[in-house]
Amino acid sequence: MPAGGWSEPALQPGHDPFQHLHDESYAAPFAVDRVGWRDMLSVAGRTLESLDGDWNFVLDLHDEGLRQRWYEDEPGPIAGWRVPRDYDDGDWQRTAVPSCWNVVRPEWTYFEGGAWYTRAFDFASGQPGERVFLRIGAANYEARVFLNGVFVGSHRGGSTPFFIELGPHLRQGQNRLQIHVDNRRRPERVPMNHTDWFNYGGIYREVGLLRLPPVFIRDFGAALVPGSAGKRVAVDVTLSDAVDGVAEVEIAGLAPLDLPVTAGLGRIEIDLAPELWSPARPRLYDVGVRFREDELRDRVGFREIAVAGQRILLNGEDIFLRGICVHEDDQALGKVTSEADIRRRFADAKALNANFLRLSHYPHHEMAARIADEEGLLLWQEVPVYWAIDFASPDTFSDADNQLREMIRRDRNRASVIIWGVGNENADTDARLAFMSGLAASCREMDATRLVSAACLINREHFRIEDRLSDALDIIGLNEYFGWYEPSLDGLRRLFANSDLDKPLIITETGADAVAGHDGAPGELFGETHQSQLYDRQLDLVESAPYVRGFCPWVLYDFRTERRQTGLQRGYNLKGLIAADKTTRKKAFATLSARYAELAQRQGET
Ligand code: GCU
């Protein structure tokens, strides 16, 4: 030991400590083990071991942790380090999981970049041969997961759950879990870098561990057979492994039924006429599926949604969708949602006499559809194929298609979900047509029991509702802002007069900004009076068009968006019928509520 305690680690010839400064391909190793919809597991009736709570947290704007492989460093006191580091496990600052870092600290509000979540957890093996999975409810936008210093998997897509098997990297006793989350908006991502909603970042839905037997039930479905007039039910099962055997199905109180499984797949159809689910009578049945020592249990409603000409039929009956759009956004919590927040959202929708919500513009928390099943509300769920997506990129399509299939896999047993939306306001190009027709085909491949739509644009040349994509859709969605961005409602009159549709149309957006508490004179923009009168004028016209079978204005609550910076908006979109406090109702709320009550009465709904 040299004098004065000076010590020198051995020279490492060939090791260039500065190599990472020159390597911009640092993210490539973490794109190889990306998990997706095929790795999903149904958690219906399962118990997760929660990993929610306080985690270590550190921002990493330049992805130094990936570049310098921080995750490989064993944690320990700085005094014990042999070479300097720029990262110490982040235990000097903490944050909650789930949360959005943007609303945790003011200095993190607009942060777009990488960040590290780290926590330790104790683990002890359970059943012999058990398989252990990490489930992350959602992380925006891309997540890379490391267990005990080893990269174990990654996921992209900011609003759907993902599962990573921890297997051989788990230790008996203490384990160290690190998750790098990157919320950068990029042109090739889905959504791309330009959106009209706030870019929250973080692990913002629940995280937990799942312990499963060596062979388990990965997924199951139970639904009416389309066209069976509510008299036949299909149940399908997918196992984790391509094995043969017999699963057991319990449904609607019937005696257990055998479901033969071959190479891990099985499907039966049974003559069964369950009480049908509807908004008026949201009847749910207990459904159980068992295979060897594994079991899933869910509460399922049976209903059929279809289109016939210009009509939308729920259980064979014509229905008009009295809707409202809603974002997953909260002043205090950002994109984190709770059961109370969802139940308030649905109570406000029912106070509008609505029977339908468009969950915009990305898959909402799985609780939303589960609670809508109970409360008897119909839902449109969509993927954020929003505005100028990189439609020419096969990798962007793969990302969008995976998010779509994850959404469908997650919510396929939710009776409330009747429409899958494959995009919003996308300019009509050949690349966009191919991209979104491909997504529509994926919907039909994954799920024959729901309708497919998209929020389309107007053909400005002929000034009519016309979109090449509509051939791939069951319902045409139309966003139109006559009376706001296009002040004259004559445009809507002309549009309806020029258009002749052979399938149903839903007005998937219309509306106007209004500052809560500011009445304003008639016609005064940003006044509640103008917003309220616009709703009346819009509905007068909408009710004149026979093919309009749904009205879903924009939007239930004011919400954060970086791109609106007038002195009135100050970073908010004010088209809400309720202010961002989710309490203060504007005049237009009462206007729409009254109009929907009249519509409901005319349609024979009490
Ligand atoms: C568009 C878009 C919304 C946006 C709205 C608006 O139609 O789909 O996401 O917030 O218009 O301009 O307020």
Side-chain angles (χ1 to χ4, degrees):
M1 176 74 75
W6 174 265
S7 69
E8 291 176 7
L11 183 67
Q12 293 175 303
H15 168 61
D16 172 2
F18 306 107
Q19 186 271 336
H20 63 78
L21 298 177
H22 316 297
D23 174 12
E24 285 309 301
S25 67
Y26 65 87
F30 312 109
V32 291
D33 284 346
R34 228 179 239 143
V35 292
W37 69 275
R38 286 186 177 83
D39 305 292
M40 290 181 77
L41 317 172
S42 171
V43 294
R46 296 196 191 285
T47 303
L48 277 80
E49 297 170 34
S50 174
L51 293 175
D52 293 346
D54 253 5
W55 290 47
N56 296 349
F57 179 79
V58 68
L59 299 180
D60 180 11
L61 183 61
H62 302 294
D63 294 341
E64 289 303 334
L66 299 179
R67 296 171 186 274
Q68 301 186 47
R69 304 165 76 86
W70 285 346
Y71 50 86
E72 290 179 342
D73 297 335
E74 277 297 323
I78 292 176
W81 293 358
R82 310 300 291 151
V83 288
R85 298 175 187 174
D86 296 325
Y87 167 65
D88 63 355
D89 214 5
D91 62 0
W92 54 281
Q93 61 184 3
R94 316 273 287 171
T95 195
V97 167
S99 69
C100 300
W101 61 63
N102 318 78
V103 294
V104 171
R105 288 188 181 188
E107 65 269 29
W108 298 347
T109 298
Y110 290 101
F111 180 76
E112 288 208 18
W116 288 86
Y117 293 82
T118 301
R119 69 157 287 171
F121 66 92
D122 284 327
F123 178 78
S125 292
Q127 298 300 320
E130 73 179 356
R131 297 173 68 173
V132 183
F133 291 84
L134 174 70
R135 179 188 189 272
I136 296 177
N140 190 40
Y141 177 91
E142 184 153 11
R144 284 93 171 198
V145 180
F146 303 86
L147 181 68
N148 300 320
V150 176
F151 172 60
V152 291
S154 65
H155 178 267
R156 61 182 179 177
S159 302
T160 39
F162 57 99
F163 298 78
I164 294 174
E165 187 159 12
L166 298 183
H169 307 294
L170 266 173
R171 292 173 181 156
Q172 296 302 309
Q174 193 169 82
N175 290 264
R176 183 174 176 232
L177 182 59
Q178 292 171 283
I179 304 174
H180 176 271
V181 178
D182 162 13
N183 79 323
R184 290 177 185 87
R185 281 181 280 202
R186 302 175 193 274
E188 72 277 7
R189 285 187 163 177
V190 181
M192 44 88 69
N193 51 296
H194 181 218
T195 65
D196 191 28
W197 69 87
F198 195 88
N199 182 42
Y200 296 107
I203 303 174
Y204 68 94
R205 291 183 190 155
E206 296 75 16
V207 176
L209 293 180
L210 264 177
R211 294 175 194 249
L212 300 175
V215 176
F216 58 88
I217 305 168
R218 182 175 291 281
D219 183 48
F220 88 97
L224 283 181
V225 174
S228 68
K231 294 182 172 51
R232 252 172 107 71
V233 167
V235 181
D236 66 79
V237 167
T238 303
L239 301 182
S240 56
D241 298 74
V243 300
D244 298 350
V246 178
E248 198 175 69
V249 175
E250 283 178 29
I251 187 167
L254 296 179
L257 301 165
D258 286 350
L259 192 159
V261 176
T262 305
L265 300 173
R267 182 180 187 276
I268 56 171
E269 286 191 15
I270 48 181
D271 289 328
L272 181 64
E275 184 184 341
L276 298 183
W277 182 96
S278 71
R281 284 190 55 78
R283 178 77 162 83
L284 298 175
Y285 285 91
D286 288 325
V287 179
V289 180
R290 194 176 300 110
F291 185 81
R292 296 182 187 166
E293 67 269 43
D294 194 26
E295 181 177 25
L296 287 173
R297 301 202 68 79
D298 208 344
R299 302 260 298 142
V300 179
F302 296 96
R303 56 101 188 95
E304 180 168 3
I305 191 76
V307 292
Q310 298 175 345
R311 294 279 172 266
I312 301 173
L313 304 179
L314 176 65
N315 300 328
E317 292 183 20
D318 185 11
I319 186 170
F320 185 93
L321 300 174
R322 306 186 305 276
I324 188 71
C325 295
V326 63
H327 260 302
E328 209 170 45
D329 183 270
D330 188 88
Q331 276 187 315
L333 299 173
K335 210 172 178 303
V336 172
T337 191
S338 64
E339 179 174 348
D341 185 51
I342 291 169
R343 291 195 184 278
R344 169 176 49 197
R345 182 188 311 172
F346 292 166
D348 286 333
K350 288 195 171 183
L352 278 174
N353 296 302
N355 59 6
F356 176 65
L357 290 102
R358 179 185 171 199
L359 303 186
S360 323
H361 283 296
Y362 35 74
H364 287 208
H365 195 293
E366 57 269 18
M367 277 191 288
R370 191 166 290 283
I371 294 170
D373 277 7
E374 295 166 15
E375 300 204 5
L377 285 164
L378 298 162
L379 301 178
W380 161 310
Q381 288 225 80
E382 66 187 69
V383 283
V385 176
Y386 182 95
W387 290 354
I389 292 288
D390 186 356
F391 290 115
S393 159
D395 187 50
T396 301
F397 177 80
S398 168
D399 186 355
D401 193 59
N402 180 63
Q403 291 184 49
L404 176 72
R405 291 172 183 263
E406 287 178 335
M407 174 177 71
I408 295 172
R409 255 293 165 91
R410 187 194 71 179
D411 291 347
R412 58 180 298 213
N413 288 325
R414 304 279 71 80
S416 51
V417 180
I418 56 170
I419 298 170
W420 301 121
V422 295
N424 182 77
E425 288 191 355
N426 316 98
D428 182 12
T429 64
D430 291 347
R432 170 260 193 178
L433 181 61
F435 190 106
M436 292 175 69
S437 300
L439 294 181
S442 293
C443 288
R444 302 188 198 289
E445 178 198 321
M446 294 285 282
D447 174 17
T449 70
R450 289 179 178 85
L451 303 174
V452 182
S453 188
C456 304
L457 292 171
I458 293 166
N459 178 322
R460 294 279 165 182
E461 185 187 344
H462 304 128
F463 214 80
R464 61 174 176 237
I465 301 165
E466 189 180 70
D467 187 326
R468 293 187 290 169
L469 179 65
S470 64
D471 291 343
L473 306 176
D474 296 303
I475 295 174
I476 300 170
L478 177 70
N479 293 359
E480 48 86 4
Y481 280 90
F482 296 102
W484 184 248
Y485 295 118
E486 300 185 81
S488 167
L489 280 163
D490 280 346
L492 190 56
R493 290 185 187 92
R494 275 183 58 207
L495 195 64
F496 285 155
N498 288 351
S499 304
D500 177 18
L501 302 184
D502 60 358
K503 54 184 67 174
L505 176 88
I506 299 177
I507 303 292
T508 36
E509 284 186 34
T510 191
D513 284 68
V515 177
H518 171 60
D519 283 356
E524 179 185 336
L525 301 188
F526 293 96
E528 286 196 31
T529 303
H530 178 68
Q531 185 191 42
S532 170
Q533 289 180 343
L534 174 63
Y535 271 74
D536 263 328
R537 297 294 71 75
Q538 275 273 345
L539 279 160
D540 292 345
L541 286 168
V542 158
E543 289 173 16
S544 70
Y547 46 71
V548 178
R549 303 308 299 149
F551 185 72
C552 200
W554 189 256
V555 69
L556 185 55
Y557 305 115
D558 294 349
F559 62 91
R560 274 198 186 89
T561 174
E562 302 94 331
R563 63 188 284 269
R564 295 178 184 272
Q565 294 299 336
T566 61
L568 296 176
Q569 293 159 309
R570 301 186 189 211
Y572 275 80
N573 183 312
L574 300 179
K575 294 187 182 66
L577 295 176
I578 300 174
D581 64 9
K582 296 186 177 176
T583 305
T584 308
R585 291 176 177 181
K586 304 175 190 176
K587 278 183 172 179
F589 186 99
T591 303
L592 184 62
S593 178
R595 292 297 294 256
Y596 275 174
E598 287 167 21
L599 264 173
Q601 195 169 27
R602 285 210 301 273
Q603 290 152 4
E605 291 178 43
T606 49

